[in-house]
Amino acid sequence: TGFSPRSPPVPMSKIHDIKVAAECSVNDVIMAALSGALRRYGAEVRQDPKLVSEAPEAIEFKSIVMIALPRKVNEKHPEESLANKMLFASCPLPIDAQTPAERLERTQEAFDNLKSKAYITGYVSLTNFVQSVAPRAVLKKLASETFSKHSLLVTNVPNATVPVEVPAGGEVMREIHMVFPNLIPQVSILTYNGFVNANLVADPALFPSGEILGRMFAEEFDRLQEVVEQTAVTSIES
């Protein structure tokens, strides 16, 4: 069975300040914070020997991330453009990096690689080819093997930037979350009304005290902010 602990909402203004100071994307900041939270959770809650060791070693921790692709609008059937066109791409998360600065740098590098035109073009072409020729049974086996080689799936999407009333003229929703189970642990991140809301759906045997992970996720943004502010001060002094 799955469960869904949530993270305290994180102000987008804080994430934007980190983004500008570090010259990276909002997604880079969010994923670096998630990497830091996973590292702390593994070390402090699960007491993973690879993370608590004083002699750090390289750790392969792969996530599946969803990449939204643009869709052309068919003027005769505009409703078709409302359907998702997604890629599921593999991306490493640097949970072995010991400092917030290193995690942010490596996260930015990993996602820059995903966003390269050559990668996207090749991946889309390969995906379309396999889907057009492979039998359904083969596609299911490929999907199963792909999921089994990753530690979690991360979805990060924007939502309304202003308060939403339900029903119209009624009560304002304070938070909006995506909550759904998956074959592997699922982290769902959604921005709404100036805040980032996140939750985890996972087997509690894998993530006992999952609410601690949510708290650590929110705290990692403070750590990243401290790093970029200290870097700015150092640059001014030098």
Side-chain angles (χ1 to χ4, degrees):
T1 57
F3 75 133
S4 180
R6 56 177 281 279
S7 166
V10 179
M12 273 298 298
S13 56
K14 177 182 294 185
I15 297 174
H16 181 267
D17 290 344
I18 300 170
K19 164 189 173 297
V20 172
E23 298 182 348
C24 62
S25 71
V26 166
N27 183 73
D28 294 337
V29 177
I30 291 175
M31 297 304 291
L34 177 61
S35 298
L38 289 167
R39 175 183 173 82
R40 289 180 58 200
Y41 184 86
E44 298 174 22
V45 178
R46 298 304 303 269
Q47 293 293 304
D48 189 310
K50 292 184 178 180
L51 295 174
V52 299
S53 172
E54 296 182 358
E57 59 180 285
I59 299 174
E60 183 180 58
F61 188 96
K62 295 190 296 184
S63 67
I64 298 175
V65 296
M66 297 174 65
I67 302 176
L69 300 176
R71 298 184 70 97
K72 294 182 179 180
V73 177
N74 185 334
E75 295 183 359
K76 294 183 178 180
H77 300 283
E79 69 280 0
E80 294 178 355
S81 64
L82 297 177
N84 288 329
K85 186 176 182 182
M86 311 293 297
L87 280 181
F88 290 84
S90 177
C91 185
L93 296 184
I95 67 168
D96 54 338
Q98 293 186 302
T99 67
E102 183 184 356
R103 287 192 290 272
L104 182 56
E105 180 180 358
R106 286 174 54 185
T107 298
Q108 183 177 4
E109 180 181 358
F111 279 91
D112 282 347
N113 290 337
L114 287 187
K115 291 181 287 188
S116 71
K117 185 175 181 179
Y119 176 86
I120 292 294
T121 301
Y123 195 32
V124 170
S125 299
L126 177 61
T127 300
N128 291 339
F129 173 75
V130 172
Q131 289 178 340
S132 66
V133 300
R136 183 177 295 272
V138 173
L139 292 175
K140 288 183 177 180
K141 184 176 181 181
L142 288 174
S144 177
E145 291 182 353
T146 297
F147 273 73
S148 68
K149 295 177 181 178
H150 292 79
S151 299
L152 76 165
L153 191 150
V154 183
T155 304
N156 180 15
V157 298
N159 202 281
T161 58
V162 296
V164 174
E165 298 175 347
V166 179
E171 188 173 353
V172 173
M173 288 193 293
R174 290 178 294 178
E175 296 182 28
I176 298 179
H177 285 266
M178 300 179 291
V179 181
F180 56 91
N182 216 320
L183 297 175
I184 56 178
Q186 168 77 42
V187 176
S188 299
I189 304 168
L190 185 146
T191 57
Y192 163 66
N193 191 28
F195 288 87
V196 169
N197 303 308
N199 65 73
L200 167 74
V201 178
D203 186 337
L206 294 176
F207 287 89
S209 303
E211 67 281 357
I212 297 178
L213 177 63
R215 173 175 55 79
M216 290 177 170
F217 176 64
E219 292 172 350
E220 281 301 305
F221 292 98
D222 295 327
R223 294 187 170 199
L224 287 167
Q225 190 170 41
E226 291 175 2
V227 167
V228 296
E229 288 177 350
Q230 182 58 47
T231 302
V233 170
T234 302
S235 299
I236 293 174
E237 292 177 349
S238 59

